[in-house]
């Protein structure tokens, strides 16, 4: 059995987990909550620095109760990017120290691909089109000849950040996505919002501005605006995902990333998949948001395919794109 310790801390959630081929052995986390406004990179990094020792000790202690000791750990994996520079550096430093002191390999993991691989593992889907939507990222991807190709993506901010930004305007605390979802469920009237799809790419920043104006200048009810915001943004995401599936002739789709927890979005995607006789997959919420288990799991796939990271190549990559990663752990699809 191979066991990997995974560390995640690209943004607001610091998490450590131990994972084997069979299961998640133990996962624990500590979440940074901004007192006001959005995530402040330096404050989030300070949070991670002061919580790291506790989080790693709890993960190791929890694993010990499951019969896994320090010397059973085969490698340390960490989020090498994308993410906030100060947060990434804090967690990478801890990962390097653990790798050196335990004398086990270090594995720098692409955070976006970790979201995809944990979803494939938990849902048992083989070769899906992936809609990956989180705070900072919004991408449609699929695997082809050794890489996860980005078929479409946001041209400005991620959908999660657009929701969080509008939520802040409404005076709601971070993260705003779930609070917008709650308000949207009470909306009844659709108010026109900018629907911006350019080819396979998307734009969300105008949506936040239009939503603010609809309340500020046109005095619409906030429930109706949350509803209209969601209907517009989620239709855009569904449209691009469907086009990717049509072009690639794929009959599976996987939802990944924190915004994937939204029930209305899940419903829209499910309907789209049903209409084209495709299967829709979404993992449990705990694997949608940022978590150490996904980092450990991708680390496991990478270790088993001989893909580790020497210390001198372990510098963090705040803009690390998934299509930069050579996928060493997947068989080529026959199509
Ligand atoms: P991640 O970066 O993957 O951890 O995702 C965090 C983002 O997911 C934040 O922008 C949240 O506001 C957003 N989010 C979490 N739950 C929901 C939800 N139910 N609806 C919409 N957005 C959500
Ligand atoms: Mg994420």
């Amino acid at each position: 059995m191979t066991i990997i310790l995974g560390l995640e801390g690209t943004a607001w959630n610091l998490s450590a987990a131990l994972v084997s081929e069979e299961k998640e052995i133990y996962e624990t986390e500590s979440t940074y909550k901004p007192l006001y406004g959005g995530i402040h990179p330096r404050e989030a990094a300070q949070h991670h620095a002061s919580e790291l020792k506790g989080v790693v000790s709890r993960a190791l202690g929890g694993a010990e109760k499951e019969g896994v000791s320090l010397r059973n750990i085969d490698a340390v994996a960490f989020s090498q990017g994308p993410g906030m520079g100060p947060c990434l550096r804090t967690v990478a430093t801890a990962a390097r120290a653990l790798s050196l002191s335990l004398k086990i390999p270090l594995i720098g993991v692409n955070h976006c691909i970790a979201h995809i691989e944990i979803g494939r593992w938990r849902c048992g889907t083989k070769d899906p089109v992936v809609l990956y939507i989180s705070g900072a990222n919004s991408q449609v991807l699929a695997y082809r000849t050794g890489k996860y190709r980005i078929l479409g993506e946001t041209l400005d901010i991620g959908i999660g950040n657009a929701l969080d930004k509008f939520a802040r305007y409404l005076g709601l605390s971070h993260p705003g996505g779930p609070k917008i979802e709650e308000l949207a469920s009470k909306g009844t009237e659709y108010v026109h919002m900018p629907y911006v799809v350019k080819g396979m790419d998307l734009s969300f920043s105008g949506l936040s501005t239009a939503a603010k104006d609809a309340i500020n200048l046109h005095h619409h009810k906030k429930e109706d605006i949350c509803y209209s915001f969601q209907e517009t943004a989620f239709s855009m995401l569904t449209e691009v995902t469907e086009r990717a599936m049509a072009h690639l002739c794929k009959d599976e789709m996987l939802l990944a990333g924190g915004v994937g927890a939204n029930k209305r979005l899940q419903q829209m995607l499910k309907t789209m998949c049903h209409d084209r006789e495709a299967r829709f997959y979404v993992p449990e919420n705990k694997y949608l948001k940022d978590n150490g288990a996904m980092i450990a799991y991708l680390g496991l796939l990478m270790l088993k395919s001989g893909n580790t990271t020497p210390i001198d190549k372990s510098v963090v990559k705040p803009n690390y794109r998934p299509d930069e990663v050579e996928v060493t752990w997947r068989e080529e699809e026959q199509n």
Side-chain angles (χ1 to χ4, degrees):
M1 191 164 62
T2 311
I3 295 174
I4 311 288
L5 169 63
L7 302 182
E8 158 59 29
T10 50
W12 63 313
N13 203 27
L14 176 70
S15 169
L18 288 104
V19 163
S20 72
E21 287 95 341
E22 278 130 47
K23 59 174 184 174
E24 174 189 301
I25 298 163
Y26 198 84
E27 190 267 343
T28 181
E29 62 185 21
S30 169
T31 306
Y32 156 75
K33 294 190 186 75
L35 288 176
Y36 58 89
I39 304 173
H40 189 298
R42 199 184 59 241
E43 279 180 15
Q46 276 163 357
H47 163 269
H48 294 357
S50 56
E51 293 290 311
L52 252 164
K53 182 167 175 276
V55 165
V56 172
S57 307
R58 281 207 303 280
L60 295 174
E64 187 105 44
K65 291 201 185 99
E66 302 292 319
V68 172
S69 72
L70 263 186
R71 63 194 152 67
N72 301 127
I73 302 174
D74 295 287
V76 182
F78 70 102
S79 271
Q80 199 168 359
M84 295 176 171
C87 299
L88 291 170
R89 282 192 286 279
T90 304
V91 176
T93 305
R96 285 183 206 110
L98 282 163
S99 159
L100 289 170
S101 61
L102 296 174
K103 298 189 176 57
I104 51 177
L106 180 68
I107 305 171
V109 157
N110 179 290
H111 174 96
C112 313
I113 296 185
H115 272 290
I116 299 175
E117 292 300 349
I118 193 113
R120 286 213 307 137
W121 184 40
R122 304 311 297 182
C123 299
T125 160
K126 264 191 77 181
D127 187 28
V129 164
V130 181
L131 175 61
Y132 165 50
I133 39 176
S134 63
N137 301 293
S138 302
Q139 291 172 334
V140 178
L141 310 104
Y143 176 76
R144 182 104 185 138
T145 55
K147 287 205 168 156
Y148 279 101
R149 315 277 166 180
I150 302 170
L151 305 160
E153 63 187 319
T154 180
L155 296 167
D156 42 51
I157 56 174
I159 173 64
N161 284 354
L163 288 163
D164 293 342
K165 213 163 114 182
F166 178 53
R168 277 206 296 282
Y169 173 78
L170 294 177
L172 304 168
S173 62
H174 185 89
K179 291 151 200 152
I180 301 259
E181 179 175 18
E182 172 68 29
L183 285 168
S185 69
K186 302 190 185 104
T188 49
E189 191 199 337
Y190 180 79
V191 176
H192 179 76
M193 294 273 143
Y195 185 106
V196 188
V197 173
K198 298 186 181 189
M200 288 293 282
D201 291 331
L202 309 131
S203 159
F204 297 109
S205 64
L207 203 49
S208 304
T209 311
K212 281 186 214 165
D213 287 351
I215 292 193
N216 207 11
L217 305 177
H218 307 295
H219 309 293
H220 285 289
K221 274 170 45 192
K222 64 180 176 195
E223 290 82 358
D224 288 340
I225 299 307
C226 290
Y227 166 71
S228 308
F229 190 122
Q230 282 201 170
E231 293 300 300
T232 309
F234 296 168
S235 302
M236 288 159 54
L237 291 164
T238 306
E239 178 196 322
V240 174
T241 308
E242 176 165 29
R243 196 155 44 245
M245 293 173 78
H247 282 315
L248 297 174
C249 303
K250 301 248 195 236
D251 60 2
E252 295 174 308
M253 108 133 261
L254 173 69
L255 187 52
V259 183
N262 190 290
K263 292 284 177 247
R264 174 61 183 142
L265 174 64
Q266 291 186 8
Q267 189 185 41
M268 278 192 195
L269 293 165
K270 218 180 278 175
T271 306
M272 179 273 284
C273 286
H274 179 263
D275 286 352
R276 46 186 307 109
E277 296 182 3
R279 275 152 297 156
F280 169 72
Y281 295 96
V282 57
E284 300 155 61
N285 278 357
K286 66 179 272 204
Y287 296 116
L288 281 171
K289 67 172 201 169
D290 294 347
N291 63 88
M294 69 184 194
I295 305 304
Y297 181 66
L298 178 51
L300 182 106
L301 298 177
M302 289 173 70
L303 181 74
K304 295 190 104 182
S305 59
N307 189 346
T308 60
T309 311
I311 296 276
D312 64 349
K313 296 264 176 352
S314 67
V315 61
V316 300
K317 304 178 182 177
N319 300 316
Y320 199 6
R321 287 173 65 78
D323 53 3
E324 288 173 52
V325 177
E326 193 194 334
V327 176
T328 49
W329 57 91
R330 274 188 69 154
E331 308 253 312
E332 215 43 64
E333 300 302 327
Q334 302 300 315
N335 58 18

